[in-house]
Amino acid sequence: MTTEQNMVSRVIPVDPFDLVIFGATGDLAQRKILPGLFRRHVAGQMPTDARVIGAARSDLSSAEFRAMARETIAAHVDPALQDAALLEDFLSRLDYVALDVQAGTGWEALRSLVRPDVVQAFYFSVAPVLFGDLAEGLQAQGIAGPGARIVVEKPFGRDLASAQALNATLAAHFEESQIYRIDHYLGKETVQNLMAVRFANILFEPLWNAQYIDHVQITVAETVGVGGRGAYYDRSGALRDMVQNHMMQLLCLIAMEPPWHFDPDAVRDEKLKVIRALQPVGRGDIVRGQYLAGGGGPGYLEDAGNPSSDTESYIALRVHVANWRWKGTPFYLRTGKRLRARTSEIAITFKEPPHSIFDDARGWRENVLVIRLQPNEGINLKVMIKEPGPGGMRLVQVPLDMSFATALGAEGADMPDAYERLIMDVIRGNQTLFMRGDEVEAAWAWTDPIIAGWQARGDRPQPYDAGSSGPEDALMLMHRDGRRWREIRE
Ligand code: NAD
C-alpha cells in the first residue's frame, strides 16, 4: 500500500450531523466553510445523512443557495478535487433558510429543518453583536438539543470586559462544553505537529527550557495592507487582531508544560497557566508601526480612512513567561501588514555548546528549530556539520528538512485547511483545538494594560516602509539584547 492509500484509508466518517451556518452568504462561509466541507466530502468524511443548512438574511431559495455554493466551490477548491458526481451529491445535502436574527424572522423554518436525533452544530459566522441573539434564539425556539454545539468566530471581545460579557451571554444558553471558540491557527497541521514534535519525541523535551533555549521568535508577516477592511481594522490593530489570539496560542503551545493527556481540558489547563504566567510588558518591550504608502499601494492612514489614526498595523514585543522553565528566555513576537514577504513561522534558537573543540569559529551558528506555518508548512532543524570536501574541519550549518509535502506524499501536499479540520472536530465533539472561555479572558487581562498604557501616554506608531521588515526600532528591540530577527522571506 502506498503512503497515499494509507492516508486515504485513515479518513473515518463522522457521525450524522446537521450543521447550520448562520451567515452562510458571507465571506467566511463562502471562502472557507463551504469549500472546506466539500473537501471533507471528497475525502469521504461526511456520512450519507450529513446535512448543511445555510441561514442568512438574504431571501434565497435552497436552489439558489446551492447555485451559490457551486460557484464558490468552483472558485475555491482545487480543480483536481472537483468531481462532478461528488459535487452533485454534496449540493444535494444543502438547504437554506432566510433568517434575520434581529428581526426574529425565519426561526420556524429553521426548526422544521434541524433534526433532533443527529449531531447538531451551529456555526455563528456573523458579526459578534449577533451571537447573543443567536444563542438565545436557538434555545427559546426549541431548536438546539441538549448535545448541540455552537461555533463562534473571532473577534471574541475587544477587551476583558467585552469578552467577559460575551462569555456570560453564551453561558446563559450553552454549557462551556458546547461552545467552540475558533482560532483557525490551532487547526493548522504544523501547529498540531508542534505538539507531536514536543510530546511524541524524547529528543526535544529535555532541552525545552531556559537552560538550553536562548530565545523564541514568532513571526506572522503579511504583504497585504488592510485594504477593504480598513475601517474595521482601525478599531482593532495588530495587538488585538493577531497577538491576543493567534500568536498567544502559538506561544502557549511552545511554552506549556506537558499535559497529562492529549485531552481538551488537560491541554487547555496548561495553556491557561502560560497565559497567567506572562509578565506585564513594559514600554521598552514594544514597538508599534504603521506602513507608509509605497509599492503602488496607499499608506495605512489612507487605507484606514483615518488620517489621525494611532492604530498599529505592525507590532513587535518582547515577552517573558515567569515560571521555572522559562526564566531568562525571551519570546519575541512580531506581526504586521505590508511587509516584505508573507510568512508565518516559529523559530526556537538554542544556546551555544558550552565549549567548542573546533578552531573554525567563523561558520559556527546556533541550532534553530523552525516551524513554518506558511507557506510550505514544515519543520526544519538547523544543525552544524562538516563542510564536505578535503579542506580540513570547516563547519557549515544545514537544515534537516521535513517539509510535509515531501514527507507525507500527496496527502501532505494537499493538507486539509484549518477550517476543515476544526469543523470535523466540532462534529466529533473534540474541543482540544478550541479556546476555552477562561483562556480568552486571561489573554485579554494581559493585553488590556498594554493598550491602556498607549492610550494614557498618547503613543503613536512609527511609520515603516511598505515592503520592508517593519520599523527600525523593532530591529533595535533585538539588537539591544545581542540578538537578531530572522529574515522575513517566503
Ligand atoms: P460578512 O459580512 O461577509 O457576512 C455576514 C453574514 O451575516 C451574511 O451572510 C449576512 O446575511 C449575515 N447576517 C447579517 N446580519 C444578519 C442578521 N441580522 N440575521 C442573520 N444573518 C445576518 O462577514 P464575514 O466576513 O463572513 O464574517 C463573519 C464572521 O466571521 C465575523 O464574526 C467575522 O469577524 C468572522 N471572521 C471572518 C473572517 C473572514 O475571513 N471573512 C475571518 C475570521 C473571522
Side-chain angles (χ1 to χ4, degrees):
M1 197 182 258
T2 66
T3 312
E4 191 179 340
Q5 285 166 327
N6 237 328
M7 307 297 287
V8 170
S9 63
R10 274 202 255 142
V11 172
I12 301 165
V14 292
D15 288 339
F17 64 84
D18 278 354
L19 170 67
V20 178
I21 309 171
F22 293 106
T25 58
D27 175 68
L28 183 70
Q30 294 288 317
R31 240 173 0 95
K32 291 286 182 189
I33 305 174
L34 287 168
L37 286 167
F38 175 64
R39 281 192 289 263
R40 288 297 89 206
H41 179 59
V42 173
Q45 206 162 22
M46 302 246 297
T48 330
D49 45 2
R51 300 224 321 259
V52 178
I53 302 162
R57 258 187 325 194
S58 313
D59 193 14
L60 299 177
S61 65
S62 287
E64 286 166 325
F65 180 63
R66 287 185 197 121
M68 207 174 171
R70 185 190 293 279
E71 265 180 45
T72 201
I73 287 167
H76 296 290
V77 176
D78 181 347
L81 295 179
Q82 300 206 16
D83 177 276
L86 285 173
L87 178 61
E88 292 316 314
D89 188 22
F90 177 76
L91 294 176
S92 73
R93 295 146 185 261
L94 304 188
D95 270 307
Y96 182 82
V97 173
L99 182 145
D100 187 325
V101 64
Q102 280 171 321
T105 55
W107 285 113
E108 254 167 53
L110 184 62
R111 188 172 48 229
S112 71
L113 282 179
V114 176
R115 296 170 292 174
D117 53 348
V118 295
V119 173
Q120 299 177 333
F122 300 95
Y123 198 128
F124 294 6
S125 182
V126 296
V129 290
L130 301 178
F131 290 177
D133 288 344
L134 278 180
E136 188 188 336
L138 285 171
Q139 296 295 6
Q141 303 288 333
I143 297 173
R149 289 141 208 184
I150 60 170
V151 184
V152 296
E153 265 298 339
K154 83 169 210 188
F156 201 89
R158 66 184 319 274
D159 52 23
L160 177 58
S162 54
Q164 283 172 329
L166 193 46
N167 272 336
T169 306
L170 297 181
H173 307 289
F174 290 92
E175 301 290 331
E176 180 62 34
S177 60
Q178 298 178 283
I179 304 171
Y180 290 70
R181 295 175 194 78
I182 283 232
D183 185 321
H184 70 274
Y185 270 59
L186 292 180
K188 286 179 187 282
E189 194 74 10
T190 350
V191 174
Q192 293 166 64
N193 245 308
L194 174 57
M195 286 187 274
V197 164
R198 272 196 70 187
F199 302 127
N201 298 287
I202 190 77
L203 218 55
F204 295 107
E205 199 49 30
L207 305 181
W208 211 261
N209 56 52
Q211 193 182 343
Y212 295 104
I213 294 181
D214 179 72
H215 73 279
V216 176
Q217 296 187 23
I218 307 178
T219 300
V220 177
E222 295 177 88
T223 51
V224 295
V226 298
R229 53 195 284 268
Y232 161 81
Y233 188 90
D234 202 44
R235 289 193 299 278
S236 169
L239 181 67
R240 284 191 170 103
D241 193 46
M242 293 300 301
V243 179
Q244 184 273 345
N245 39 42
H246 308 313
M247 297 181 82
M248 178 80 79
Q249 290 293 323
L250 299 181
L251 188 155
C252 285
L253 296 180
I254 300 166
M256 71 182 183
E257 296 300 315
W260 75 273
H261 189 247
F262 192 59
D263 155 278
D265 278 327
V267 171
R268 297 184 302 175
D269 286 347
E270 296 305 335
K271 287 197 298 168
L272 179 62
K273 287 183 207 163
V274 174
I275 304 175
R276 292 199 170 138
L278 291 179
Q279 277 185 352
V281 179
R283 193 175 177 178
D285 295 327
I286 304 182
V287 176
R288 295 200 300 152
Q290 270 178 350
Y291 58 85
L292 294 165
Y300 177 77
L301 297 176
E302 192 181 331
D303 268 347
N306 177 4
S308 58
S309 169
D310 57 7
T311 302
E312 75 286 354
S313 64
Y314 174 99
I315 190 165
L317 305 110
R318 177 178 40 209
V319 177
H320 284 279
V321 181
N323 62 17
W324 278 38
R325 186 187 282 264
W326 295 114
K327 173 80 181 169
T329 294
F331 288 70
Y332 298 92
L333 276 48
R334 64 179 163 166
T335 179
K337 302 205 175 275
R338 295 282 282 155
L339 295 176
R340 67 190 316 160
R342 175 173 177 264
T343 178
S344 301
E345 64 164 39
I346 301 165
I348 293 148
T349 301
F350 291 85
K351 290 190 173 168
E352 297 182 11
H355 166 72
S356 174
I357 63 167
F358 301 109
D359 293 331
D360 179 22
R362 285 166 308 141
W364 191 85
R365 305 275 295 276
E366 311 94 338
N367 296 126
V368 186
L369 179 68
V370 181
I371 297 144
R372 246 178 303 124
L373 276 54
Q374 66 186 19
N376 311 322
E377 286 196 59
I379 296 183
N380 80 54
L381 177 64
K382 297 198 191 304
V383 292
M384 298 304 298
I385 60 162
K386 177 192 165 297
E387 194 176 276
M393 194 53 145
R394 283 206 290 264
L395 301 176
V396 61
Q397 191 181 46
V398 294
L400 270 177
D401 207 334
M402 195 179 99
S403 149
F404 292 155
T406 321
L408 302 180
E411 180 81 2
D414 184 29
M415 280 183 294
D417 181 74
Y419 279 94
E420 289 172 59
R421 157 85 199 216
L422 293 173
I423 294 170
M424 288 301 119
D425 276 359
V426 173
I427 307 298
R428 290 191 202 97
N430 185 343
Q431 289 185 303
T432 311
L433 301 175
F434 296 83
M435 294 180 294
R436 210 168 52 191
D438 50 4
E439 271 185 85
V440 178
E441 290 184 13
W444 280 122
W446 176 79
T447 313
D448 273 5
I450 301 177
I451 297 173
W454 298 338
Q455 287 168 345
R457 293 190 299 269
D459 270 6
R460 293 199 61 78
Q462 295 171 17
Y464 62 93
D465 288 333
S468 72
S469 300
E472 284 289 313
D473 278 7
L475 302 181
M476 290 311 298
L477 183 73
M478 286 284 253
H479 282 183
R480 278 203 307 272
D481 294 349
R483 301 186 175 102
R484 256 185 306 156
W485 289 108
R486 287 166 51 79
E487 206 181 313
I488 295 181
R489 60 189 161 91
E490 284 195 5

